[in-house]
PDB file of all heavy atoms in Angstrom:
ATOM      1  N   GLY A 279      -9.303 -12.303  -6.925  1.00 98.00           N
ATOM      2  CA  GLY A 279      -8.192 -11.365  -7.208  1.00 98.00           C
ATOM      3  C   GLY A 279      -6.863 -11.935  -6.953  1.00 98.00           C
ATOM      4  O   GLY A 279      -6.651 -12.587  -5.793  1.00 98.00           O
ATOM      5  N   PRO A 282      -1.300  -8.884  -4.484  1.00 98.00           N
ATOM      6  CA  PRO A 282      -0.544  -9.337  -3.394  1.00 98.00           C
ATOM      7  C   PRO A 282      -1.447  -9.882  -2.238  1.00 98.00           C
ATOM      8  O   PRO A 282      -1.085 -10.909  -1.607  1.00 98.00           O
ATOM      9  CB  PRO A 282       0.190  -8.049  -2.883  1.00 98.00           C
ATOM     10  CG  PRO A 282       0.210  -7.202  -4.011  1.00 98.00           C
ATOM     11  CD  PRO A 282      -0.940  -7.485  -4.913  1.00 98.00           C
ATOM     12  N   ALA A 283      -2.520  -9.240  -2.003  1.00 98.00           N
ATOM     13  CA  ALA A 283      -3.472  -9.734  -0.924  1.00 98.00           C
ATOM     14  C   ALA A 283      -4.012 -11.136  -1.295  1.00 98.00           C
ATOM     15  O   ALA A 283      -4.048 -12.029  -0.369  1.00 98.00           O
ATOM     16  CB  ALA A 283      -4.584  -8.700  -0.605  1.00 98.00           C
ATOM     17  N   VAL A 301      -9.807 -16.651  -8.683  1.00 98.00           N
ATOM     18  CA  VAL A 301     -10.247 -16.144  -9.917  1.00 98.00           C
ATOM     19  C   VAL A 301      -9.809 -14.725 -10.079  1.00 98.00           C
ATOM     20  O   VAL A 301      -9.930 -13.902  -9.191  1.00 98.00           O
ATOM     21  CB  VAL A 301     -11.858 -16.201 -10.096  1.00 98.00           C
ATOM     22  CG1 VAL A 301     -12.313 -17.637 -10.323  1.00 98.00           C
ATOM     23  CG2 VAL A 301     -12.559 -15.644  -8.894  1.00 98.00           C
ATOM     24  N   GLU A 302      -9.213 -14.463 -11.209  1.00 98.00           N
ATOM     25  CA  GLU A 302      -8.620 -13.110 -11.513  1.00 98.00           C
ATOM     26  C   GLU A 302      -9.140 -12.603 -12.839  1.00 98.00           C
ATOM     27  O   GLU A 302      -8.977 -13.294 -13.887  1.00 98.00           O
ATOM     28  CB  GLU A 302      -7.092 -13.322 -11.539  1.00 98.00           C
ATOM     29  CG  GLU A 302      -6.298 -12.167 -12.146  1.00 98.00           C
ATOM     30  CD  GLU A 302      -6.584 -10.737 -11.495  1.00 98.00           C
ATOM     31  OE1 GLU A 302      -6.364 -10.633 -10.238  1.00 98.00           O
ATOM     32  OE2 GLU A 302      -6.961  -9.813 -12.232  1.00 98.00           O
ATOM     33  N   LYS A 303      -9.661 -11.395 -12.729  1.00 98.00           N
ATOM     34  CA  LYS A 303     -10.316 -10.834 -13.930  1.00 98.00           C
ATOM     35  C   LYS A 303      -9.357 -10.550 -15.070  1.00 98.00           C
ATOM     36  O   LYS A 303      -9.751 -10.744 -16.234  1.00 98.00           O
ATOM     37  CB  LYS A 303     -10.897  -9.464 -13.476  1.00 98.00           C
ATOM     38  CG  LYS A 303     -11.691  -8.734 -14.464  1.00 98.00           C
ATOM     39  CD  LYS A 303     -12.527  -7.663 -13.709  1.00 98.00           C
ATOM     40  CE  LYS A 303     -11.929  -6.236 -13.973  1.00 98.00           C
ATOM     41  NZ  LYS A 303     -12.753  -5.197 -13.334  1.00 98.00           N
ATOM     42  N   GLN A 304      -8.127 -10.157 -14.793  1.00 98.00           N
ATOM     43  CA  GLN A 304      -7.268  -9.779 -15.819  1.00 98.00           C
ATOM     44  C   GLN A 304      -6.278 -10.939 -16.111  1.00 98.00           C
ATOM     45  O   GLN A 304      -6.290 -11.967 -15.502  1.00 98.00           O
ATOM     46  CB  GLN A 304      -6.379  -8.526 -15.450  1.00 98.00           C
ATOM     47  CG  GLN A 304      -7.327  -7.345 -15.017  1.00 98.00           C
ATOM     48  CD  GLN A 304      -6.435  -6.176 -14.675  1.00 98.00           C
ATOM     49  OE1 GLN A 304      -5.759  -5.584 -15.529  1.00 98.00           O
ATOM     50  NE2 GLN A 304      -6.500  -5.681 -13.473  1.00 98.00           N
ATOM     51  N   ARG A 308       0.039  -7.430 -15.430  1.00 98.00           N
ATOM     52  CA  ARG A 308      -0.759  -6.294 -15.651  1.00 98.00           C
ATOM     53  C   ARG A 308      -0.195  -5.124 -14.808  1.00 98.00           C
ATOM     54  O   ARG A 308       0.372  -5.376 -13.754  1.00 98.00           O
ATOM     55  CB  ARG A 308      -2.288  -6.577 -15.394  1.00 98.00           C
ATOM     56  CG  ARG A 308      -2.555  -7.126 -14.016  1.00 98.00           C
ATOM     57  CD  ARG A 308      -2.867  -6.051 -12.906  1.00 98.00           C
ATOM     58  NE  ARG A 308      -3.213  -6.535 -11.641  1.00 98.00           N
ATOM     59  CZ  ARG A 308      -2.344  -6.728 -10.686  1.00 98.00           C
ATOM     60  NH1 ARG A 308      -1.114  -6.568 -10.848  1.00 98.00           N
ATOM     61  NH2 ARG A 308      -2.804  -7.050  -9.482  1.00 98.00           N
ATOM     62  N   ILE A 311      -0.245   0.420  -9.876  1.00 97.00           N
ATOM     63  CA  ILE A 311       0.583   1.337  -9.174  1.00 97.00           C
ATOM     64  C   ILE A 311       0.740   0.859  -7.706  1.00 97.00           C
ATOM     65  O   ILE A 311      -0.137   0.188  -7.222  1.00 97.00           O
ATOM     66  CB  ILE A 311       0.116   2.870  -9.283  1.00 97.00           C
ATOM     67  CG1 ILE A 311       1.158   3.781  -8.936  1.00 97.00           C
ATOM     68  CG2 ILE A 311      -1.168   3.002  -8.439  1.00 97.00           C
ATOM     69  CD1 ILE A 311       2.325   3.839  -9.962  1.00 97.00           C
ATOM     70  N   GLY A 312       1.774   1.277  -7.047  1.00 97.00           N
ATOM     71  CA  GLY A 312       1.956   0.916  -5.600  1.00 97.00           C
ATOM     72  C   GLY A 312       3.246   0.017  -5.486  1.00 97.00           C
ATOM     73  O   GLY A 312       3.277  -1.113  -5.066  1.00 97.00           O
ATOM     74  N   GLU A 313       4.392   0.755  -5.732  1.00 98.00           N
ATOM     75  CA  GLU A 313       5.653   0.041  -6.063  1.00 98.00           C
ATOM     76  C   GLU A 313       6.740  -0.003  -4.928  1.00 98.00           C
ATOM     77  O   GLU A 313       7.686  -0.617  -5.013  1.00 98.00           O
ATOM     78  CB  GLU A 313       6.215   0.634  -7.296  1.00 98.00           C
ATOM     79  CG  GLU A 313       5.255   0.560  -8.507  1.00 98.00           C
ATOM     80  CD  GLU A 313       5.381   1.764  -9.472  1.00 98.00           C
ATOM     81  OE1 GLU A 313       5.588   2.854  -8.984  1.00 98.00           O
ATOM     82  OE2 GLU A 313       5.295   1.454 -10.630  1.00 98.00           O
ATOM     83  N   SER A 314       6.386   0.766  -3.814  1.00 98.00           N
ATOM     84  CA  SER A 314       7.376   0.740  -2.801  1.00 98.00           C
ATOM     85  C   SER A 314       6.903  -0.028  -1.549  1.00 98.00           C
ATOM     86  O   SER A 314       5.816   0.317  -1.006  1.00 98.00           O
ATOM     87  CB  SER A 314       7.555   2.266  -2.387  1.00 98.00           C
ATOM     88  OG  SER A 314       8.698   2.432  -1.654  1.00 98.00           O
ATOM     89  N   ARG A 372       5.380  -3.326 -10.182  1.00 98.00           N
ATOM     90  CA  ARG A 372       4.270  -4.248  -9.718  1.00 98.00           C
ATOM     91  C   ARG A 372       3.814  -5.294 -10.700  1.00 98.00           C
ATOM     92  O   ARG A 372       3.326  -6.355 -10.332  1.00 98.00           O
ATOM     93  CB  ARG A 372       3.055  -3.436  -9.273  1.00 98.00           C
ATOM     94  CG  ARG A 372       3.241  -2.705  -7.883  1.00 98.00           C
ATOM     95  CD  ARG A 372       3.141  -3.802  -6.761  1.00 98.00           C
ATOM     96  NE  ARG A 372       1.859  -4.387  -6.775  1.00 98.00           N
ATOM     97  CZ  ARG A 372       0.812  -3.886  -6.215  1.00 98.00           C
ATOM     98  NH1 ARG A 372       0.817  -2.788  -5.639  1.00 98.00           N
ATOM     99  NH2 ARG A 372      -0.386  -4.597  -6.259  1.00 98.00           N
ATOM    100  N   HIS A 394     -11.136 -14.470 -15.520  1.00 98.00           N
ATOM    101  CA  HIS A 394     -12.427 -14.852 -14.911  1.00 98.00           C
ATOM    102  C   HIS A 394     -12.866 -13.760 -13.911  1.00 98.00           C
ATOM    103  O   HIS A 394     -12.069 -13.447 -12.977  1.00 98.00           O
ATOM    104  CB  HIS A 394     -12.260 -16.186 -14.245  1.00 98.00           C
ATOM    105  CG  HIS A 394     -12.250 -17.345 -15.203  1.00 98.00           C
ATOM    106  ND1 HIS A 394     -11.229 -17.543 -16.051  1.00 98.00           N
ATOM    107  CD2 HIS A 394     -13.136 -18.275 -15.412  1.00 98.00           C
ATOM    108  CE1 HIS A 394     -11.528 -18.643 -16.753  1.00 98.00           C
ATOM    109  NE2 HIS A 394     -12.638 -19.143 -16.445  1.00 98.00           N
ATOM    110  N   GLU A 395     -14.093 -13.210 -14.073  1.00 98.00           N
ATOM    111  CA  GLU A 395     -14.552 -12.075 -13.263  1.00 98.00           C
ATOM    112  C   GLU A 395     -15.710 -12.580 -12.452  1.00 98.00           C
ATOM    113  O   GLU A 395     -16.656 -13.130 -12.973  1.00 98.00           O
ATOM    114  CB  GLU A 395     -14.883 -11.033 -14.263  1.00 98.00           C
ATOM    115  CG  GLU A 395     -15.500  -9.723 -13.561  1.00 98.00           C
ATOM    116  CD  GLU A 395     -15.846  -8.655 -14.491  1.00 98.00           C
ATOM    117  OE1 GLU A 395     -15.693  -8.859 -15.703  1.00 98.00           O
ATOM    118  OE2 GLU A 395     -16.269  -7.630 -13.976  1.00 98.00           O
ATOM    119  N   VAL A 396     -15.709 -12.254 -11.175  1.00 98.00           N
ATOM    120  CA  VAL A 396     -16.815 -12.479 -10.250  1.00 98.00           C
ATOM    121  C   VAL A 396     -17.850 -11.421 -10.626  1.00 98.00           C
ATOM    122  O   VAL A 396     -17.561 -10.217 -10.571  1.00 98.00           O
ATOM    123  CB  VAL A 396     -16.353 -12.371  -8.786  1.00 98.00           C
ATOM    124  CG1 VAL A 396     -17.611 -12.349  -7.828  1.00 98.00           C
ATOM    125  CG2 VAL A 396     -15.413 -13.595  -8.471  1.00 98.00           C
ATOM    126  N   ALA A 427     -10.232 -10.245  -2.408  1.00 98.00           N
ATOM    127  CA  ALA A 427      -9.006  -9.483  -2.445  1.00 98.00           C
ATOM    128  C   ALA A 427      -8.971  -8.785  -3.861  1.00 98.00           C
ATOM    129  O   ALA A 427      -7.941  -8.760  -4.519  1.00 98.00           O
ATOM    130  CB  ALA A 427      -7.768 -10.518  -2.414  1.00 98.00           C
ATOM    131  N   SER A 428     -10.147  -8.180  -4.208  1.00 98.00           N
ATOM    132  CA  SER A 428     -10.278  -7.619  -5.566  1.00 98.00           C
ATOM    133  C   SER A 428      -9.744  -6.251  -5.693  1.00 98.00           C
ATOM    134  O   SER A 428      -9.914  -5.539  -6.728  1.00 98.00           O
ATOM    135  CB  SER A 428     -11.732  -7.665  -5.910  1.00 98.00           C
ATOM    136  OG  SER A 428     -12.493  -6.976  -5.084  1.00 98.00           O
ATOM    137  N   GLY A 429      -9.106  -5.652  -4.678  1.00 96.00           N
ATOM    138  CA  GLY A 429      -8.479  -4.319  -4.751  1.00 96.00           C
ATOM    139  C   GLY A 429      -9.405  -3.310  -5.164  1.00 96.00           C
ATOM    140  O   GLY A 429     -10.547  -3.191  -4.603  1.00 96.00           O
ATOM    141  N   TYR A 430      -8.904  -2.466  -6.193  1.00 92.00           N
ATOM    142  CA  TYR A 430      -9.833  -1.292  -6.589  1.00 92.00           C
ATOM    143  C   TYR A 430     -11.115  -1.866  -7.247  1.00 92.00           C
ATOM    144  O   TYR A 430     -11.989  -0.994  -7.499  1.00 92.00           O
ATOM    145  CB  TYR A 430      -8.982  -0.499  -7.587  1.00 92.00           C
ATOM    146  CG  TYR A 430      -7.727   0.093  -6.979  1.00 92.00           C
ATOM    147  CD1 TYR A 430      -6.456  -0.508  -7.287  1.00 92.00           C
ATOM    148  CD2 TYR A 430      -7.749   1.033  -6.014  1.00 92.00           C
ATOM    149  CE1 TYR A 430      -5.319   0.035  -6.755  1.00 92.00           C
ATOM    150  CE2 TYR A 430      -6.564   1.573  -5.427  1.00 92.00           C
ATOM    151  CZ  TYR A 430      -5.313   1.044  -5.820  1.00 92.00           C
ATOM    152  OH  TYR A 430      -4.214   1.463  -5.219  1.00 92.00           O
ATOM    153  N   VAL A 433     -15.083  -5.863  -5.242  1.00 98.00           N
ATOM    154  CA  VAL A 433     -16.188  -6.718  -5.666  1.00 98.00           C
ATOM    155  C   VAL A 433     -17.333  -6.787  -4.594  1.00 98.00           C
ATOM    156  O   VAL A 433     -18.459  -6.509  -4.851  1.00 98.00           O
ATOM    157  CB  VAL A 433     -15.767  -8.111  -6.043  1.00 98.00           C
ATOM    158  CG1 VAL A 433     -16.863  -9.085  -6.365  1.00 98.00           C
ATOM    159  CG2 VAL A 433     -14.839  -7.968  -7.357  1.00 98.00           C
ATOM    160  N   ALA A 451      -3.329  11.415  -8.455  1.00 97.00           N
ATOM    161  CA  ALA A 451      -1.930  11.210  -8.734  1.00 97.00           C
ATOM    162  C   ALA A 451      -1.660  11.230 -10.287  1.00 97.00           C
ATOM    163  O   ALA A 451      -2.466  10.800 -11.072  1.00 97.00           O
ATOM    164  CB  ALA A 451      -1.566   9.758  -8.229  1.00 97.00           C
ATOM    165  N   GLY A 566      -6.962  -6.574   1.797  1.00 97.00           N
ATOM    166  CA  GLY A 566      -6.222  -5.604   0.916  1.00 97.00           C
ATOM    167  C   GLY A 566      -7.040  -4.451   0.637  1.00 97.00           C
ATOM    168  O   GLY A 566      -7.826  -3.933   1.416  1.00 97.00           O
ATOM    169  N   ASN A 567      -6.890  -3.844  -0.565  1.00 94.00           N
ATOM    170  CA  ASN A 567      -7.492  -2.682  -0.991  1.00 94.00           C
ATOM    171  C   ASN A 567      -9.043  -2.798  -1.134  1.00 94.00           C
ATOM    172  O   ASN A 567      -9.716  -1.805  -1.230  1.00 94.00           O
ATOM    173  CB  ASN A 567      -6.973  -2.184  -2.345  1.00 94.00           C
ATOM    174  CG  ASN A 567      -6.005  -1.101  -2.165  1.00 94.00           C
ATOM    175  OD1 ASN A 567      -5.203  -1.110  -1.205  1.00 94.00           O
ATOM    176  ND2 ASN A 567      -6.073  -0.074  -3.013  1.00 94.00           N
ATOM    177  N   PHE A 571      -8.583   2.095   1.628  1.00 91.00           N
ATOM    178  CA  PHE A 571      -7.361   2.592   1.137  1.00 91.00           C
ATOM    179  C   PHE A 571      -7.233   4.074   1.426  1.00 91.00           C
ATOM    180  O   PHE A 571      -8.199   4.815   1.080  1.00 91.00           O
ATOM    181  CB  PHE A 571      -7.143   2.372  -0.368  1.00 91.00           C
ATOM    182  CG  PHE A 571      -5.822   2.985  -0.855  1.00 91.00           C
ATOM    183  CD1 PHE A 571      -4.586   2.473  -0.387  1.00 91.00           C
ATOM    184  CD2 PHE A 571      -5.837   4.101  -1.668  1.00 91.00           C
ATOM    185  CE1 PHE A 571      -3.405   2.991  -0.809  1.00 91.00           C
ATOM    186  CE2 PHE A 571      -4.620   4.666  -2.064  1.00 91.00           C
ATOM    187  CZ  PHE A 571      -3.426   4.096  -1.559  1.00 91.00           C
ATOM    188  N   PRO A 574      -1.328   7.281  -0.930  1.00 94.00           N
ATOM    189  CA  PRO A 574      -0.066   6.740  -1.213  1.00 94.00           C
ATOM    190  C   PRO A 574       1.143   7.242  -0.354  1.00 94.00           C
ATOM    191  O   PRO A 574       2.221   6.676  -0.416  1.00 94.00           O
ATOM    192  CB  PRO A 574       0.205   6.951  -2.658  1.00 94.00           C
ATOM    193  CG  PRO A 574      -0.844   8.029  -3.017  1.00 94.00           C
ATOM    194  CD  PRO A 574      -1.903   8.019  -1.935  1.00 94.00           C
ATOM    195  N   SER A 577       3.357   4.804   1.585  1.00 97.00           N
ATOM    196  CA  SER A 577       3.491   3.483   0.914  1.00 97.00           C
ATOM    197  C   SER A 577       2.923   2.304   1.783  1.00 97.00           C
ATOM    198  O   SER A 577       3.526   1.290   1.901  1.00 97.00           O
ATOM    199  CB  SER A 577       5.018   3.217   0.615  1.00 97.00           C
ATOM    200  OG  SER A 577       5.620   4.213   0.007  1.00 97.00           O
ATOM    201  N   GLY A 579       0.024   0.723   1.348  1.00 97.00           N
ATOM    202  CA  GLY A 579      -1.083  -0.134   0.745  1.00 97.00           C
ATOM    203  C   GLY A 579      -0.778  -1.621   0.650  1.00 97.00           C
ATOM    204  O   GLY A 579      -1.543  -2.432   1.183  1.00 97.00           O
ATOM    205  N   VAL A 580       0.408  -1.969   0.216  1.00 98.00           N
ATOM    206  CA  VAL A 580       0.696  -3.383  -0.003  1.00 98.00           C
ATOM    207  C   VAL A 580       0.899  -4.022   1.426  1.00 98.00           C
ATOM    208  O   VAL A 580       0.550  -5.169   1.710  1.00 98.00           O
ATOM    209  CB  VAL A 580       1.974  -3.607  -0.829  1.00 98.00           C
ATOM    210  CG1 VAL A 580       2.296  -5.115  -0.879  1.00 98.00           C
ATOM    211  CG2 VAL A 580       1.601  -3.125  -2.327  1.00 98.00           C
TER     212      VAL A 580
HETATM  213  C1  FAD B 177      -1.217   6.701  -6.625  1.00 58.13           C
HETATM  214  C2  FAD B 177      -0.984   5.478  -5.758  1.00 58.13           C
HETATM  215  C3  FAD B 177       0.238   5.144  -5.346  1.00 58.13           C
HETATM  216  C4  FAD B 177       0.432   4.020  -4.489  1.00 58.13           C
HETATM  217  N1  FAD B 177       1.724   3.814  -4.091  1.00 58.13           N
HETATM  218  C5  FAD B 177       1.877   2.663  -3.222  1.00 58.13           C
HETATM  219  C6  FAD B 177       3.203   2.392  -2.723  1.00 58.13           C
HETATM  220  O1  FAD B 177       4.218   3.047  -3.085  1.00 58.13           O
HETATM  221  N2  FAD B 177       3.370   1.268  -1.913  1.00 58.13           N
HETATM  222  C7  FAD B 177       2.211   0.539  -1.531  1.00 58.13           C
HETATM  223  O2  FAD B 177       2.449  -0.366  -0.754  1.00 58.13           O
HETATM  224  N3  FAD B 177       1.008   0.808  -1.953  1.00 58.13           N
HETATM  225  C8  FAD B 177       0.854   1.894  -2.816  1.00 58.13           C
HETATM  226  N4  FAD B 177      -0.420   2.123  -3.293  1.00 58.13           N
HETATM  227  C9  FAD B 177      -1.528   1.202  -2.908  1.00 58.13           C
HETATM  228  C10 FAD B 177      -1.502  -0.121  -3.689  1.00 58.13           C
HETATM  229  O3  FAD B 177      -1.717   0.163  -5.070  1.00 58.13           O
HETATM  230  C11 FAD B 177      -2.550  -1.076  -3.195  1.00 58.13           C
HETATM  231  O4  FAD B 177      -2.659  -0.982  -1.872  1.00 58.13           O
HETATM  232  C12 FAD B 177      -2.266  -2.506  -3.525  1.00 58.13           C
HETATM  233  O5  FAD B 177      -2.186  -2.708  -4.944  1.00 58.13           O
HETATM  234  C13 FAD B 177      -3.358  -3.412  -2.974  1.00 58.13           C
HETATM  235  O6  FAD B 177      -3.169  -4.749  -3.355  1.00 58.13           O
HETATM  236  P1  FAD B 177      -4.404  -5.693  -3.396  1.00 58.13           P
HETATM  237  O7  FAD B 177      -3.835  -7.102  -3.545  1.00 58.13           O
HETATM  238  O8  FAD B 177      -5.354  -5.489  -2.297  1.00 58.13           O
HETATM  239  O9  FAD B 177      -5.224  -5.318  -4.818  1.00 58.13           O
HETATM  240  P2  FAD B 177      -4.723  -5.249  -6.229  1.00 58.13           P
HETATM  241  O10 FAD B 177      -3.228  -5.147  -6.424  1.00 58.13           O
HETATM  242  O11 FAD B 177      -5.534  -4.134  -6.900  1.00 58.13           O
HETATM  243  O12 FAD B 177      -5.175  -6.593  -6.906  1.00 58.13           O
HETATM  244  C14 FAD B 177      -6.640  -6.822  -7.023  1.00 58.13           C
HETATM  245  C15 FAD B 177      -6.809  -7.857  -8.102  1.00 58.13           C
HETATM  246  O13 FAD B 177      -8.208  -8.188  -8.212  1.00 58.13           O
HETATM  247  C16 FAD B 177      -8.648  -8.284  -9.567  1.00 58.13           C
HETATM  248  N5  FAD B 177     -10.118  -8.134  -9.658  1.00 58.13           N
HETATM  249  C17 FAD B 177     -10.770  -7.002  -9.565  1.00 58.13           C
HETATM  250  N6  FAD B 177     -12.088  -7.186  -9.761  1.00 58.13           N
HETATM  251  C18 FAD B 177     -12.252  -8.533  -9.978  1.00 58.13           C
HETATM  252  C19 FAD B 177     -13.391  -9.361 -10.167  1.00 58.13           C
HETATM  253  N7  FAD B 177     -14.640  -8.829 -10.347  1.00 58.13           N
HETATM  254  N8  FAD B 177     -13.157 -10.739 -10.358  1.00 58.13           N
HETATM  255  C20 FAD B 177     -11.888 -11.210 -10.246  1.00 58.13           C
HETATM  256  N9  FAD B 177     -10.792 -10.473 -10.024  1.00 58.13           N
HETATM  257  C21 FAD B 177     -10.986  -9.125  -9.867  1.00 58.13           C
HETATM  258  C22 FAD B 177      -7.914  -7.227 -10.239  1.00 58.13           C
HETATM  259  O14 FAD B 177      -7.804  -7.489 -11.619  1.00 58.13           O
HETATM  260  C23 FAD B 177      -6.553  -7.197  -9.540  1.00 58.13           C
HETATM  261  O15 FAD B 177      -5.566  -7.995 -10.211  1.00 58.13           O
HETATM  262  C24 FAD B 177      -0.634   3.253  -4.109  1.00 58.13           C
HETATM  263  C25 FAD B 177      -1.895   3.555  -4.584  1.00 58.13           C
HETATM  264  C26 FAD B 177      -2.093   4.688  -5.363  1.00 58.13           C
HETATM  265  C27 FAD B 177      -3.492   5.029  -5.854  1.00 58.13           C
END
Side-chain angles (χ1 to χ4, degrees):
V301 284
E302 165 56 56
K303 184 165 104 174
Q304 301 183 65
R308 55 91 176 90
I311 197 68
E313 300 146 323
S314 195
R372 284 288 300 278
H394 284 68
E395 179 178 0
V396 169
S428 61
Y430 302 105
V433 171
N567 258 40
F571 179 67
S577 308
V580 174

